[in-house]
Amino acid sequence: MISQEDANRQAYLEEARELLNDLEASLLELEKTPDDTDLLHKIFRALHTVKGSGAMFGFDDVAAFTHDVETVFDRVRNGLLAVNSQLLDLSLRACDHIRRLLDTDADLDLDRLADGRALLEGFRAFGGMETEEVVHPVAPTAAAEPEPAGQPLIYRLRIRPQAEMLATGNSPLHLLADLGDLGVCVPYVHVGGVGSLAELDPEACLCWWDCIIRTTSSRQELNDVFLFVEDECDLTIDLLDDGCALADAAVHKRLGEILVERGDITFDDLQAALASQRRLGDILTQQGLVDPPKVDSALVEQKAMHDLRQPPLHVPAQAPDRCGEKATSSIRVAADKLDALVDLVGELVIVQAQIRQAMEERGDAHMRGLAEHLER
């Protein structure tokens, strides 16, 4: 009986060969229409899938070789390089070389190594990158973190994998790790659909995620992380901060604003809930307007937005003044952090009043002492 791993590898081989056929057809079409942006995106996606799935299923030599080809086409589709006969010739020869790498019966001979080395040097020279000696095809190593290209942006990603994603060999944890490579990522996992242990299907993906990420990468680069699972995952990407929001007085979003913005509740529901003096999250969940995990997720997003937007606190060291005494130290705190503190103190006062009212109704002497201590 064939193992699941062997079945997955065989499925990859079939898919990769189909992708290579499509890739060759696209390259021939690109020769006629070199400015076709959609065609360039299609070629890049095919290379990305061959590389990503190859690394996932153990075809490290395929992933390593395709990595440099993909990098060049990424620069082409972003307008940094132009399509010419040299690129098309290298790319068509690369398709043939990848087929040879996929042929598991072929020996790793010197001719194949030499062909791969020559092609990689050609692609690197075309892309304006330094060439390097290739002795043996290996898996691509993590690239050094790029210098920030501009103002960091903050995005929200809502990632809903379909239940059958795991059966194809894909893992949402790998996707989250790839997002973490692009910037500072704060994920929140929703597990409400998992159910009891007795009913659990270990081969089904029953979780989904809300993520906040601060990154210098573009929306397209974030979307590219999910290229080869686009049919197995529902994805939405929203820009929360374009780098100019720090000057906006409304930069600090409250819990209700986040829930309304994400479509978890309606604005009318929010307004009705605000008429009460209880904590907003408790109000919404007790009224059945929103699930507790969504409130927790929004609170995580609220805190993440605060943390990602704030510069580190500056605490001057104490230094002797002119009289030899230590000068008084000071601390700078962002204004919206003070706003958040005021909000929390307001909620604390409300809770304290509710405790006193409950104490008066119950006449509990022990509770009276605690309430008076809280008031002080």
Side-chain angles (χ1 to χ4, degrees):
M1 181 177 178
I2 187 172
S3 67
Q4 184 62 49
E5 181 180 357
D6 289 339
N8 289 337
R9 286 172 61 88
Q10 185 60 40
Y12 167 73
L13 287 171
E14 295 174 1
E15 179 189 23
R17 291 184 176 113
E18 291 178 3
L19 286 170
L20 288 173
N21 291 336
D22 293 340
L23 183 58
E24 284 184 337
S26 298
L27 289 169
L28 294 174
E29 189 176 346
L30 186 65
E31 186 176 14
K32 303 174 185 176
T33 56
D35 296 326
D36 190 333
T37 304
D38 292 337
L39 199 54
L40 287 171
H41 284 307
K42 181 179 179 181
I43 292 171
F44 177 82
R45 286 195 298 269
L47 291 168
H48 187 83
T49 303
V50 170
K51 180 196 78 170
S53 297
M56 185 177 300
F57 295 117
F59 293 87
D60 294 338
D61 50 353
V62 174
F65 177 80
T66 311
H67 174 71
D68 282 338
V69 186
E70 177 198 34
T71 300
V72 169
F73 270 95
D74 186 39
R75 302 187 70 190
V76 172
R77 69 175 185 151
N78 288 319
L80 301 177
L81 297 171
V83 175
N84 60 22
S85 59
Q86 179 189 1
L87 174 64
L88 294 172
D89 178 64
L90 285 169
S91 302
L92 290 170
R93 288 166 54 196
C95 290
D96 293 335
H97 185 69
I98 294 173
R99 283 195 181 91
R100 294 180 64 188
L101 294 176
L102 292 172
D103 185 2
T104 54
D105 295 330
D107 294 327
L108 192 61
D109 53 50
L110 294 178
D111 289 341
R112 191 168 75 170
L113 286 175
D115 289 344
R117 181 173 63 242
L119 284 169
L120 289 180
E121 290 177 349
F123 276 111
R124 290 179 182 134
F126 179 85
M129 298 172 286
E130 292 185 5
T131 60
E132 59 184 30
E133 188 70 13
V134 180
V135 178
H136 189 279
V138 294
T141 57
E145 181 177 352
E147 292 295 322
Q151 177 69 36
L153 308 179
I154 300 179
Y155 294 90
R156 176 201 300 129
L157 290 83
R158 179 158 283 190
I159 307 163
R160 290 180 176 268
Q162 297 177 9
E164 58 272 17
M165 172 185 277
L166 299 180
T168 64
N170 292 314
S171 169
L173 297 182
H174 293 161
L175 302 176
L176 294 174
D178 289 343
L179 286 177
D181 291 338
L182 297 180
V184 181
C185 183
V186 181
Y188 179 89
V189 59
H190 296 265
V191 296
V194 173
S196 66
L197 182 61
E199 302 171 342
L200 182 64
D201 181 358
E203 296 183 356
C205 183
L206 304 176
C207 304
W208 58 282
W209 286 263
D210 281 318
C211 295
I212 305 300
I213 182 171
R214 184 181 64 192
T215 177
T216 56
S217 300
S218 66
R219 183 192 298 266
Q220 182 62 51
E221 289 171 310
L222 293 176
N223 194 73
D224 286 346
V225 172
F226 301 85
L227 272 178
F228 54 92
V229 295
E230 56 187 7
D231 296 330
E232 303 165 11
C233 180
D234 297 325
L235 173 70
T236 58
I237 303 177
D238 297 314
L239 178 63
L240 299 183
D241 186 348
D242 61 0
C244 302
L246 286 174
D248 187 352
V251 67
H252 174 55
K253 292 185 179 179
R254 306 302 191 267
L255 172 62
E257 293 179 77
I258 295 173
L259 290 168
V260 171
E261 182 182 281
R262 299 192 317 190
D264 294 329
I265 61 172
T266 67
F267 180 75
D268 291 340
D269 289 339
L270 175 63
Q271 291 297 99
L274 287 175
S276 170
Q277 290 187 332
R278 288 173 295 165
R279 286 180 58 123
L280 180 57
D282 295 337
I283 296 167
L284 296 174
T285 55
Q286 289 174 8
Q287 293 183 5
L289 299 175
V290 63
D291 297 332
K294 291 182 178 178
V295 174
D296 293 338
S297 171
L299 289 170
V300 170
E301 175 175 325
Q302 186 182 51
K303 183 178 185 304
M305 290 295 291
H306 273 282
D307 294 343
L308 295 177
R309 279 189 172 123
Q310 301 310 314
L313 295 177
H314 173 65
V315 184
Q318 288 187 336
D321 59 16
R322 292 179 181 178
C323 298
E325 298 293 334
K326 285 188 175 180
T328 302
S329 63
S330 62
I331 186 170
R332 295 192 306 176
V333 181
D336 59 348
K337 287 203 171 198
L338 293 178
D339 291 341
L341 180 60
V342 171
D343 290 343
L344 292 173
V345 171
E347 291 190 7
L348 184 62
V349 170
I350 292 171
V351 172
Q352 179 269 325
Q354 291 174 330
I355 291 175
R356 169 160 285 280
Q357 182 180 359
M359 179 269 297
E360 296 289 351
E361 293 174 353
R362 299 183 184 183
D364 188 318
H366 179 64
M367 183 179 288
R368 180 187 298 276
L370 292 176
E372 290 175 352
H373 181 64
L374 177 61
E375 288 179 6
R376 288 196 298 270

